[in-house]
Amino acid sequence: MSAFKVTMLASGSKGNSALISTGKQNFLIDMGISCRMLTSRLGEVGLCVEDLDAIFLTHEHTDHVKGLGTFTKKYAVPIYSSELTWRAILIKDPKIERRNCRIIGGALRCGEVEVNSFEIPHDAVDPHGYVLKCNGSKCAYITDTGFVTEAVRQAAEDADTLILEANHDVEMLKNGIYPPHLKQRILSTRGHLSNESAGYLLANLPRIPENIILAHLSQENNLPRLALDTVRNILSEASLFNDARIFVAAQDKIVKDY
Ligand SMILES: [Zn+2]
Ligand SMILES: [Zn+2]
């Protein structure tokens, strides 16, 4: 059984934040919700901000960093990102307190957990995903990814718990209301991962993760049921339909994998 428990506090284009816990330690990936919402959703799993050991940021887009200004005024929790991402965040919001800012170059040990960042292809200055390892378990966080690079595939390989973007259904996006330049951006190699691409990434792994959490679903260009069915169909066509537990993260409520 995975050493990690995941609670998706919020997931989607209006704000992202994932809580990853080992029992002893609690980490957030991204802080794209208000401080008030963070407090309230952590409360739903019996935690408060003081229980957080560290926060890791993937990139500077608003839906991943929105709550930082208020958060850093109130709390001293260390927040890690790449140097270039921090620069971009601080230009956008100079009110963020510098005392919280930490730079992660590659690997970092936080207590019993080893954290590694890896590059993802996305239209931000220096976007990264994260891999957390503890007691032989591996948890990978992959969202805001235009396509599956070798680094993305390696991050997902051997994960027991995988948080994976399933942003859009390609047909819904193409036929939807978004203006052409936005459709192009999302479909580009520095945009977002489709349901199908998420499914094929999973189908090509040597081992299907125990827990899969589909994340960052578009509210305009996707449906939770469609994302789930698309991924399940691809796995069953590849004769890989096993007992993996697949969850779909949501914007407006927490989703737990335990
Ligand atoms: Zn983004
Ligand atoms: Zn995003």
Side-chain angles (χ1 to χ4, degrees):
M1 223 176 70
S2 178
F4 296 102
K5 285 180 176 177
V6 174
T7 307
M8 300 301 285
L9 300 176
S11 184
S13 54
K14 293 196 177 78
N16 294 276
S17 192
L19 169 70
I20 301 177
S21 303
T22 63
K24 286 188 194 155
Q25 288 183 287
N26 302 295
F27 303 97
L28 276 195
I29 298 188
D30 286 330
M31 178 54 191
I33 53 177
S34 71
C35 219
R36 180 190 296 243
M37 187 180 288
L38 174 71
T39 310
S40 126
R41 295 200 178 170
L42 280 176
E44 290 184 48
V45 290
L47 294 177
C48 59
V49 172
E50 285 78 6
D51 295 318
L52 297 175
D53 292 275
I55 301 176
F56 299 94
L57 305 175
T58 57
H59 63 298
E60 73 277 17
H61 288 163
T62 308
D63 56 317
H64 298 261
V65 300
K66 191 163 50 198
L68 287 179
T70 314
F71 184 90
T72 57
K73 294 265 176 303
K74 291 185 172 176
Y75 305 106
V77 180
I79 306 173
Y80 291 89
S81 193
S82 80
E83 189 172 358
L84 287 174
T85 295
W86 264 129
R87 267 192 225 165
I89 293 171
L90 291 168
I91 288 169
K92 278 208 312 199
D93 188 354
K95 291 196 292 294
I96 292 169
E97 297 286 341
R98 303 296 199 275
R99 62 167 182 176
N100 300 67
C101 304
R102 307 276 201 286
I103 289 165
I104 179 166
L108 179 81
R109 177 156 283 279
C110 290
E112 59 177 353
V113 177
E114 182 193 316
V115 183
N116 280 279
S117 66
F118 59 94
E119 290 179 11
I120 51 172
H122 189 56
D123 57 355
V125 294
D126 190 27
H128 285 80
Y130 288 96
V131 165
L132 280 68
K133 290 181 185 164
C134 176
N135 296 333
S137 286
K138 176 177 175 182
C139 172
Y141 182 93
I142 304 167
T143 70
D144 299 74
T145 299
F147 70 108
V148 177
T149 61
E150 181 54 22
V152 166
R153 198 196 56 75
Q154 279 182 20
E157 199 173 283
D158 295 324
D160 308 281
T161 299
L162 177 59
I163 300 154
L164 179 62
E165 174 166 56
N167 177 261
H168 56 274
D169 175 79
V170 174
E171 287 310 306
M172 271 183 86
L173 175 66
K174 284 184 177 165
N175 299 319
I177 56 160
Y178 278 10
H181 74 273
L182 194 50
K183 290 182 182 179
Q184 208 41 55
R185 194 213 135 213
I186 294 167
L187 290 167
S188 81
T189 53
R190 301 184 73 214
H192 289 276
L193 211 61
S194 69
N195 296 341
E196 270 199 341
S197 302
Y200 285 116
L201 163 58
L202 291 167
N204 286 313
L205 291 175
R207 179 170 71 83
I208 304 296
E210 199 178 299
N211 294 322
I212 298 162
I213 300 139
L214 303 178
H216 212 304
L217 269 72
S218 166
Q219 287 184 314
E220 297 292 341
N221 307 308
N222 209 351
L223 296 164
R225 189 74 238 175
L226 185 57
L228 193 60
D229 286 348
T230 304
V231 165
R232 282 201 188 280
N233 286 341
I234 291 169
L235 290 179
S236 63
E237 274 167 21
S239 307
L240 287 168
F241 194 78
N242 66 359
D243 51 3
R245 304 188 317 147
I246 309 181
F247 304 84
V248 183
Q251 189 73 78
D252 301 321
K253 60 172 188 196
I254 66 165
V255 171
K256 300 189 280 187
D257 78 341
Y258 56 97

